[in-house]
């Protein structure tokens, strides 16, 4: 009798254990489901209707492009294709909605926590900002992306740049052919997406504006406009020049953004891009006017970038001049300089000055500016460095920028640490992931590619 009882007791124990394992599995499944939903994979908010999406693909892009394409025949061909039956298109939306097609695999929460641990020894301010950033990202799925580039297949031999371009002084450099050695392993279409590395600033700006804090909105927009330059520090190679009509699509549910770019003109090179996040859309076209000065190359971006929040607030700005120094001798580097005016259609606008680096400059890459209200009164001062961080302080400190140092100012944005496996391309951790061919993506490619 007693032995029977203890046997039943043992069986009960096993059953209880099995039940708790089952419950755990259920909880995990539920959590994964919530993650997928919040990433917008099935969410109506994040997805555009089929009609809207194709509208952007063909309507806005062609509206956005200002330059006529070089080959009329090619243009005609492209138009012919777009006139074809709707069903003949590879429907990006359909593919993007399938969780398996996301570029990367879903990463476990524990793994994510591990990554957070790495940043333990950061300053309070930085921690707060990162906490904020995590807040922005916690709504999105965690995706496992590669952390290093594949190793080169063979040893490369260095080539002298000057030997290649000495005969082209004064010419349009976009027409000069350079050996592949000078290329970095991404295309200009992908490079445009690099400007959105810190898209959490726009999520945050949207949130602030919705809460009625328009000042914080423009401050975060300004930080975003500067943050796009951070990835250019230490980059010495040219991105690949895409073909006319070539496109690049990126779906990053882990950042809550989808991006699309297309080369819309060959001479001059013109790329149109469009990006959608949660509560905002960002679009523009990138066209560079290049001047070759012998020892340096000056790049003047032409065109306007537009950021529109779902509540109707719009900001527009143009990029500043970029100069690439030491083409002949010394270490090649680039600097960004000039005035950036962020025009808003509501309460505030912002002026940022990218200071030109001088030989004696001990603190290069400085950016200073201020936010003005409609009457032209300066309500906040911004300071920082485009390759590092941006801070703000309330009130007008533009005359006494020394008082506006990081100790009494608040942090808006801080650049992420570079990856540990830097190659000669110096790609950021984000750039490394832009053309990663993940198993889910591979099956969407045209056979034979
Ligand atoms: C002559 C070649 C081999 C050397 C120069 C290569 C590097 C430094 C050049 C080539 C293309 C350049 C980029 C082209 C476009 C832009 C967009 C602009 O709004 C900011 C600068 C930025 C991001 C440039 C930074 C410098 C850049 C990366």
């Amino acid at each position: 009798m007693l032995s029977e009882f203890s046997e039943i007791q043992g069986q009960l124990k096993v059953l209880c254990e099995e039940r708790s394992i089952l419950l755990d599995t259920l909880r995990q499944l539920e959590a994964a489901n919530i993650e997928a939903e919040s990433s917008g994979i099935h969410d109506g908010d994040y997805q555009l209707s089929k009609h809207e999406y194709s509208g952007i693909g063909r309507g806005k892009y062609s509206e956005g492009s200002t330059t006529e394409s070089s080959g009329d025949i090619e243009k005609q061909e492209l138009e012919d294709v777009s006139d074809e039956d709707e069903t003949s298109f590879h429907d990006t939306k359909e593919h993007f909605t399938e969780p398996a097609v996301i570029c990367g695999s879903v990463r476990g929460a524990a793994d994510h926590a591990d990554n957070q641990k790495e940043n333990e020894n950061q300053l309070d301010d930085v921690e707060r900002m990162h906490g904020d950033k995590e807040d922005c990202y916690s709504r999105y799925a965690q995706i496992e992306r590669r952390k290093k580039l594949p190793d080169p297949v063979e040893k490369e031999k260095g080539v002298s740049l000057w030997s290649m371009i000495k005969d082209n002084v004064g010419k349009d450099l976009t027409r000069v052919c350079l050996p592949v050695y000078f290329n970095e392993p991404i295309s200009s279409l992908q490079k445009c997406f690099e400007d959105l590395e810190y898209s959490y600033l726009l999520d945050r700006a949207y949130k602030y504006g919705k809460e009625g804090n328009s000042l914080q909105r423009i401050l975060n927009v300004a930080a975003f406009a500067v943050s796009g330059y951070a990835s250019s520090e230490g980059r010495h190679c040219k991105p690949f020049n895409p073909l006319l009509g070539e496109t690049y699509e990126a779906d990053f549910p882990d950042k809550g953004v989808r991006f699309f770019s297309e080369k819309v003109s060959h001479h001059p090179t013109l790329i149109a891009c469009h990006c959608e996040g949660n509560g905002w859309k960002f679009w523009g076209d990138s066209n560079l006017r290049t001047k070759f000065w012998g020892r340096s190359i000056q790049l003047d971006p032409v065109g306007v970038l537009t950021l529109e929040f779902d509540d109707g607030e719009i900001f527009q700005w143009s990029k500043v001049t970029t100069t690439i120094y030491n083409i002949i001798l010394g270490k090649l580097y680039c600097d960004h300089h000039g005035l950036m005016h962020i025009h808003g259609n509501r309460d505030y606008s912002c002026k940022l000055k990218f200071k030109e680096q001088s030989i004696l400059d001990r603190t290069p890459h400085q950016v200073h500016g201020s936010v003005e209200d409609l009457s032209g009164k300066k309500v906040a001062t911004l300071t920082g460095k485009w390759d590092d961080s941006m801070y703000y302080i309330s009130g007008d400190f533009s005359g006494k920028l020394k008082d506006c140092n990081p100790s009494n100012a608040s942090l808006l944005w801080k650049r992420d640490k570079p990856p540990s496996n830097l190659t000669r391309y110096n790609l950021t951790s984000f750039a490394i992931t832009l053309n990663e061919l993940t198993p889910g993506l591979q099956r969407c490619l045209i056979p034979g590619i």
Side-chain angles (χ1 to χ4, degrees):
M1 176 83 170
L2 212 82
S3 69
E4 252 177 56
F5 183 71
S6 64
E7 200 181 296
I8 291 173
Q9 211 176 12
Q11 278 173 1
L12 249 173
K13 219 173 164 189
V14 172
L15 272 172
C16 269
E17 271 164 18
E18 273 177 3
R19 182 177 168 267
S20 73
I21 291 171
L22 252 170
L23 274 174
D24 268 359
T25 321
L26 253 174
R27 242 174 259 135
Q28 273 168 16
L29 275 171
E30 228 165 71
N33 197 22
I34 289 167
E35 240 176 30
E37 269 176 23
S38 61
S39 74
I41 296 168
H42 303 289
D43 193 279
D45 254 16
Y46 182 43
Q47 297 299 338
L48 280 172
S49 69
K50 198 169 189 161
H51 171 76
E52 255 182 302
Y53 192 75
S54 41
I56 286 162
R58 278 160 246 162
K60 248 192 191 139
Y61 279 63
S62 33
E63 250 173 60
S65 60
T66 46
T67 328
E68 75 284 5
S69 116
S70 58
D72 271 337
I73 305 168
E74 273 165 303
K75 194 171 154 196
Q76 186 57 45
E77 273 172 8
L78 280 175
E79 274 164 9
D80 284 348
V81 172
S82 59
D83 278 347
E84 267 175 44
D85 194 340
E86 281 265 305
T87 50
S88 67
F89 279 95
H90 169 86
D91 195 326
T92 327
K93 188 197 151 205
E94 263 165 32
H95 284 270
F96 276 5
T97 42
E98 281 179 59
V101 177
I102 293 160
C103 345
S105 57
V106 178
R107 192 172 65 177
D111 198 359
H112 184 54
D114 273 0
N115 265 5
Q116 273 183 315
K117 257 190 211 159
E118 277 170 24
N119 302 332
E120 259 171 19
N121 297 331
Q122 281 176 331
L123 294 167
D124 259 16
D125 218 6
V126 181
E127 251 170 31
R128 215 176 321 117
M129 193 212 60
H130 274 279
D132 246 28
K133 177 175 142 191
E134 292 298 326
D135 263 6
C136 281
Y137 283 161
S138 61
R139 298 185 297 145
Y140 306 134
Q142 300 300 320
I143 310 270
E144 183 65 72
R145 297 190 186 278
R146 71 177 173 197
K147 298 199 169 52
K148 72 188 274 279
L149 287 174
D151 292 326
V153 176
E154 56 186 69
K155 209 172 170 281
E156 292 167 303
K157 257 215 257 130
V159 186
S160 133
L161 178 60
W162 177 242
S163 69
M164 297 293 22
I165 54 177
K166 63 179 185 307
D167 299 329
N168 297 294
V169 177
K171 283 193 198 147
D172 175 1
L173 269 186
T174 57
R175 288 167 195 251
V176 177
C177 282
L178 288 175
V180 76
Y181 176 79
F182 295 106
N183 284 102
E184 55 183 1
I186 60 167
S187 76
S188 303
L189 295 173
Q190 291 157 346
K191 200 173 178 75
C192 289
F193 190 35
E194 283 201 64
D195 275 6
L196 284 123
E197 175 166 1
Y198 299 97
S199 61
Y200 70 85
L201 292 166
L202 297 184
D203 297 342
R204 208 193 272 167
Y206 174 62
K207 202 181 85 196
Y208 274 125
K210 236 174 44 180
E211 290 162 2
N213 194 340
S214 337
L215 180 60
Q216 276 296 332
R217 176 172 279 187
I218 190 155
L219 285 169
N220 278 284
V221 170
F224 169 77
V226 176
S227 72
Y229 288 98
S231 62
S232 62
E233 164 64 5
R235 297 274 280 272
H236 307 135
C237 292
K238 254 177 80 151
F240 280 98
N241 193 4
L243 300 173
L244 179 66
E246 188 176 326
T247 60
Y248 168 67
E249 296 153 28
D251 182 26
F252 275 56
D254 42 340
K255 288 168 86 70
V257 296
R258 295 193 305 166
F259 174 90
F260 193 102
S261 54
E262 177 177 340
K263 175 147 163 183
V264 290
S265 161
H266 193 56
H267 283 303
T269 302
L270 182 58
I271 291 169
C273 58
H274 183 98
C275 186
E276 294 185 2
N278 266 305
W280 52 267
K281 289 187 180 73
F282 175 75
W283 68 90
D285 41 59
S286 137
N287 177 11
L288 294 168
R289 217 181 284 134
T290 55
K291 278 185 213 132
F292 186 25
W293 295 113
R295 283 194 312 181
S296 64
I297 304 172
Q298 187 179 327
L299 309 173
D300 288 303
V302 192
V304 184
L305 301 173
T306 306
L307 168 67
E308 183 180 345
F309 289 101
D310 285 0
D311 50 30
E313 187 157 16
I314 298 173
F315 294 96
Q316 288 191 307
W317 67 92
S318 294
K319 296 201 130 206
V320 295
T321 300
T322 296
T323 306
I324 304 156
Y325 296 95
N326 288 342
I327 298 288
I328 308 175
L329 262 183
K331 199 168 180 291
L332 192 123
Y333 69 93
C334 72
D335 189 33
H336 312 288
H337 47 94
L339 259 179
M340 179 186 275
H341 194 155
I342 307 176
H343 300 268
N345 68 341
R346 291 203 183 147
D347 309 331
Y348 299 112
S349 64
C350 174
K351 280 182 191 141
L352 292 171
K353 187 174 164 57
F354 288 64
K355 218 175 129 200
E356 186 160 7
Q357 188 174 336
S358 66
I359 313 165
L360 298 172
D361 215 345
R362 277 211 231 124
T363 44
H365 310 161
Q366 284 183 57
V367 183
H368 301 301
S370 51
V371 175
E372 290 174 11
D373 64 13
L374 290 177
S375 65
K377 190 175 154 231
K378 290 181 176 153
V379 290
T381 310
L382 284 138
T383 182
K385 290 169 87 190
W386 55 256
D387 65 329
D388 185 60
S389 52
M390 282 303 288
Y391 295 83
Y392 79 94
I393 188 162
S394 300
D396 180 8
F397 281 82
S398 47
K400 32 193 171 172
L401 275 169
K402 276 208 182 91
D403 296 341
C404 188
N405 59 41
S407 57
N408 54 7
S410 315
L411 184 71
L412 280 168
W413 157 76
K414 176 118 189 107
R415 178 188 175 177
D416 285 345
K417 277 192 228 130
S420 43
N421 321 292
L422 273 178
T423 59
R424 71 177 176 93
Y425 308 113
N426 286 330
L427 299 188
T428 61
S429 306
F430 179 57
I432 287 172
T433 68
L434 297 184
N435 55 13
E436 179 183 5
L437 192 56
T438 53
L441 260 183
Q442 203 145 17
R443 69 182 171 83
C444 297
L445 292 181
I446 306 164
I449 285 194

